[in-house]
Amino acid sequence: MSYKLLIINPGSTSTKIAVYEGEKEIFQETLRHSSEEIGKFKSVADQQDFRTEVILGILKKKNIDVKDMDAIVGRGGLLKPIPSGTYEVNDSMLKDLKENVRGEHASNLGAIIANKIGNSIGKPAFIVDPVVVDEMEEIARFSGIPELPRKSIFHALNQKAVAKRYARESSKKYEDVNVIVAHMGGGVSVGAHRKGKIIDVNNALDGEGAFSPERSGGVPSGDLARMCFSGKYTLEEVLKKITGKGGFVAYFNTNDARVVEKGLMEGDPKATLLYNAMGYQVAKDIGAAAAVLNGQVDAIILTGGVAYGKPMIDFISKMVSFIAPIVVYPGEDEMLALAQGAIRALSGEEKIMKYE
């Protein structure tokens, strides 16, 4: 059976929507929201009616009947740490998202809007592998400061999707392989996948691991502490240096890896060193993940938007190809990954998870 699915992926100033029939995309569009429109609302949760109306309006304009959907799938938001899987939206989830128990972010609207539309047509609403998926082993949580345990916040949706894709294309089960996935986008996360679980991964939001187009990555902690107490910066300014204005933005005033790559191709020494430095740090993280897996690695998967850059792939591959074969899945097909998660749940291939 080919399930018909409405996929909703909210961003800070846009909402991506798509309709899938099975894994075939029927329609996709990015709905842009002006700062004036968004600025009318006191909180992200208050935007739910506005965004829902915009979504339904576009579907009507495209002659797509929302009542034909078998399920509505939203991008997962900032929830408490949970195991990987497809979760049916319930009251506990909605309460945590609306109260911003783990933080306020546009992605919190995914489940809220999916539930709103699902209820209106009597169909289930799901989220799939939100950024807070946590399968880390206890030994991986130690940081050296008891008050600061390591956290699992990363590109779970794409990491899981590409790992399962690799297993499927290799005629294996995800639960039977060991892979390292390096997601390289606005942020970088490198996960050690062992037999179906991501047992260790860096916090890609708050400054662990390699630097990226707009993240600082791990920085000298003593110097960071001195910067914080220097009186030159507010807390907000320091946090912005870590997430948003770090990495390529700090060194090259751009968060577009293609701009830095172009500089490399044109022989700009600053761009070349910066670009290669990111690859160097990603490769080091891959090496660390290989140690976590005791060297038993079936493949190293390079993914995310930066993986479209051949110089980056070549640089990293030269450093880590001795560990395992390199597989490249460039980009981040979030909409398809969300659809695939719902299909696995609806078909009974995977158990529908409950958020508590």
Side-chain angles (χ1 to χ4, degrees), residues 261-276:
E261 182 183 321
K262 183 173 183 288
L264 174 147
M265 299 301 286
E266 294 174 350
D268 180 337
K270 180 181 177 182
T272 300
L273 186 58
L274 177 62
Y275 192 85
N276 289 342

Side-chain angles (χ1 to χ4, degrees), residues 226-305:
R226 283 184 280 273
M227 174 185 280
C228 290
F229 286 89
S230 68
K232 296 179 181 179
Y233 308 97
T234 65
L235 171 62
E236 290 72 22
E237 288 170 336
V238 173
L239 290 174
K240 200 66 178 177
K241 281 180 174 289
I242 294 171
T243 303
K245 291 187 177 181
F248 286 179
V249 175
Y251 286 98
F252 217 75
N253 200 32
T254 181
N255 64 356
D256 190 340
R258 294 170 298 182
V259 173
V260 185
E261 182 183 321
K262 183 173 183 288
L264 174 147
M265 299 301 286
E266 294 174 350
D268 180 337
K270 180 181 177 182
T272 300
L273 186 58
L274 177 62
Y275 192 85
N276 289 342
M278 175 180 159
Y280 177 86
Q281 292 194 3
V282 173
K284 285 207 302 181
D285 287 350
I286 290 171
V292 169
L293 296 172
N294 299 315
Q296 298 175 6
V297 185
D298 294 296
I300 296 167
I301 302 172
L302 305 179
T303 185

Side-chain angles (χ1 to χ4, degrees), residues 13 52 77 80 90 105 113 124 140 149 281 286 291 313 318 329:
T13 58
T52 301
K80 58 190 175 186
N90 60 17
H105 191 271
I113 295 173
Q281 292 194 3
I286 290 171
I313 298 302
K318 286 178 182 177
Y329 296 135

Side-chain angles (χ1 to χ4, degrees), residues 157-226:
L157 182 65
N158 190 48
Q159 285 233 9
K160 286 284 183 178
V162 296
K164 290 175 181 178
R165 175 181 171 183
Y166 162 77
R168 185 171 63 249
E169 292 179 355
S170 303
S171 301
K172 300 175 183 177
K173 292 182 179 179
Y174 173 53
E175 292 74 19
D176 293 333
V177 299
N178 289 348
V179 296
I180 297 168
V181 178
H183 176 107
M184 300 177 290
V188 169
S189 62
V190 177
H193 298 235
R194 186 179 68 194
K195 309 299 183 188
K197 290 187 177 181
I198 303 175
I199 60 171
D200 199 351
V201 66
N202 60 295
N203 181 336
L205 179 64
D206 279 348
E208 281 189 348
F211 74 80
S212 70
E214 54 185 39
R215 307 280 204 279
S216 70
V219 297
S221 53
D223 290 337
L224 178 63
R226 283 184 280 273

